[in-house]
Amino acid sequence: MQAFIEGLPKVELHLHIEGTLEPELMFALAKRNNITIPFSSPKEVSQAYQFENLQSFLDIYYQGANVLIKEQDFFDLTWAYLLRCQQDNVVHTEIFFDPQTHTDRGIAFDTVVNGIHRALTQAKQELGISSQLIMSFLRHLDEDAAFTTLAQALPHKDKIIAVGLDSSEVGNPPEKFTGVFTKAKQLGFLTVAHAGEEGPASYINDAINMLKVARVDHGVRCVDNEELLAQLITTKMPLTVCPLSNTKLAVFDTMEQHNIVELLRKNVCVTINSDDPAYFGGYMNDNFIAVSNALKPSKQELAQFTLNAIEASFISIEEKERLVTLTQYYLNDF
Ligand code: ADE
Ligand code: ZN
């Protein structure tokens, strides 16, 4: 099955670019920018990646981002991830960035977005990997701060397809951001939101009804509400599920207990994604392999994760058709 997974075309829809900062690059950037980090080697950084829950991860993740200062740093970070996409046969990727993590440290919005965008443009030309960029608001901050970030994004509207919502979920419900999401939609952005990762199924409902999301990020707690589950199936609402993230952050105790294949078999539009691969021990292939080893989906079912992601992606119908054909040929010829 490993060879099948490695060759399978993949589409990633849930990836935080700050979560691709590998310990080695963290060290190199700290040195280049003269920044002190509380670790003496990349190995010590990796050893610190033991998380009990979402918040214990976020505390380390925001600290890691402090080494990102210059446009070139954001380029290097993004380029390193895109080279991993090439290795894992990811043909299209939709990437989150958290502007507030950087603007709150005095880094200009333009520095962040221009560095990431330059790498995405180069990847399209040199690696043939297409992409979209999604700007996420940090939900532990207030809605006024999100409005400020939305205003900063307007000169870059051509580079950003959607707005999202991430960070500490419990206690920061979707309704806190209804105003800014409504405004973003009026301005022509699509919307997505993390919901039902650690938070309750009601947050998934609220993300759909109040924030008008086109996809739910994570959403695995949907199984707690039968009516919601039925609605996700009939409306084909995509869930961008992150298996290794969920086991590392104790959303599920083991991969054997993960509900992704059960949801697939119920016809929920679930997809496989890596979330913060530098922190959770794996990129796309690793996530597919972990699901395959623990839950034994068939080849057809593994390919269905890609077909679901193509359908749920923010690309043109023509491009969707091209990627569906590519995937079906691969499945039939394997
Ligand atoms: N930011 C980065 N990764 C995240 C996750 N899994 N949940 C919420 N916010 C995040
Ligand atoms: Zn996430």
Side-chain angles (χ1 to χ4, degrees):
M1 210 50 112
Q2 182 158 343
F4 175 79
I5 287 170
E6 284 169 1
L8 179 69
K10 277 158 238 103
V11 167
E12 174 139 72
L13 303 178
H14 185 154
L15 179 282
H16 302 263
I17 200 63
E18 294 88 352
T20 68
L21 181 60
E22 292 287 348
E24 289 75 17
L25 184 58
M26 188 190 292
F27 257 76
L29 292 180
K31 194 162 171 215
R32 192 157 97 185
N33 292 324
N34 253 322
I35 289 176
T36 316
I37 51 173
F39 304 105
S40 62
S41 68
K43 191 159 171 239
E44 208 180 296
V45 180
S46 310
Q47 283 164 352
Y49 292 173
Q50 309 289 339
F51 313 115
E52 282 144 41
N53 52 31
L54 176 58
Q55 193 59 51
S56 65
F57 153 68
L58 290 171
D59 293 342
I60 286 199
Y61 163 83
Y62 293 131
Q63 201 178 61
N66 285 337
V67 302
L68 299 161
I69 308 285
K70 305 209 176 73
E71 188 189 304
Q72 188 63 36
D73 303 339
F74 289 94
F75 174 91
D76 291 345
L77 174 73
T78 310
W79 187 250
Y81 162 68
L82 291 160
L83 291 176
R84 284 305 318 254
C85 285
Q86 185 186 36
Q87 256 183 47
D88 282 16
N89 208 12
V90 173
V91 293
H92 176 75
T93 178
E94 304 195 349
I95 298 178
F96 295 118
F97 73 115
D98 288 342
Q100 290 157 303
T101 298
H102 313 297
T103 52
D104 283 3
R105 303 182 284 120
I107 313 295
F109 188 101
D110 300 12
T111 301
V112 180
V113 78
N114 289 339
I116 297 170
H117 187 257
R118 186 156 56 85
L120 299 181
T121 307
Q122 189 170 321
K124 178 76 191 140
Q125 290 161 355
E126 293 182 11
L127 311 176
I129 298 171
S130 60
S131 59
Q132 297 283 10
L133 199 49
I134 303 171
M135 171 177 90
S136 278
F137 302 121
L138 298 181
R139 69 201 305 159
H140 66 270
L141 302 178
D142 62 25
E143 194 185 34
D144 280 350
F147 269 114
T148 303
T149 302
L150 182 61
Q152 289 168 338
L154 288 183
H156 300 281
K157 188 148 183 311
D158 57 323
K159 307 185 187 85
I160 301 169
I161 187 108
V163 300
L165 189 62
D166 63 9
S167 192
S168 321
E169 188 183 6
V170 175
N172 295 297
E175 69 173 287
K176 183 175 160 186
F177 296 93
T178 311
V180 75
F181 269 65
T182 304
K183 178 80 184 169
K185 271 209 100 107
Q186 283 166 358
L187 290 166
F189 293 98
L190 297 169
T191 62
V192 297
H194 284 51
E197 177 186 18
E198 279 190 349
S202 63
Y203 282 18
I204 302 174
N205 248 320
D206 293 348
I208 295 168
N209 297 320
M210 295 178 178
L211 308 185
K212 311 288 179 204
V213 295
R215 304 194 290 248
V216 174
D217 297 312
H218 293 293
V220 289
R221 297 284 301 271
C222 65
V223 290
D224 297 343
N225 181 330
E226 289 275 322
E227 210 177 307
L228 169 66
L229 188 58
Q231 188 197 333
L232 295 179
I233 296 164
T234 45
T235 59
K236 299 192 164 66
M237 175 60 69
L239 306 184
T240 63
V241 179
C242 308
L244 283 174
S245 163
N246 291 157
T247 50
K248 282 284 174 346
L249 300 186
V251 172
F252 295 92
D253 288 339
T254 66
M255 195 60 83
E256 284 73 17
Q257 289 166 9
H258 203 292
N259 61 15
I260 188 165
V261 171
E262 174 196 334
L263 289 170
L264 183 80
R265 290 179 183 158
K266 287 185 166 152
N267 264 330
V268 180
C269 183
V270 280
T271 64
I272 292 183
N273 309 274
S274 69
D275 205 7
D276 301 284
Y279 292 85
F280 299 147
Y283 289 77
M284 282 292 267
N285 284 356
D286 303 308
N287 274 274
F288 270 79
I289 289 166
V291 167
S292 171
N293 288 342
L295 300 165
K296 312 280 180 228
S298 65
K299 289 194 181 84
Q300 171 68 54
E301 286 173 327
L302 287 167
Q304 191 61 44
F305 287 121
T306 289
L307 294 170
N308 287 351
I310 295 167
E311 184 53 35
S313 68
F314 299 147
I315 56 178
S316 68
I317 290 175
E318 293 75 24
E319 190 55 11
K320 284 184 183 183
E321 281 170 0
R322 187 182 76 78
L323 294 183
V324 167
T325 306
L326 186 74
T327 307
Q328 278 167 345
Y329 271 119
Y330 178 77
L331 180 62
N332 295 338
D333 289 356
F334 191 84

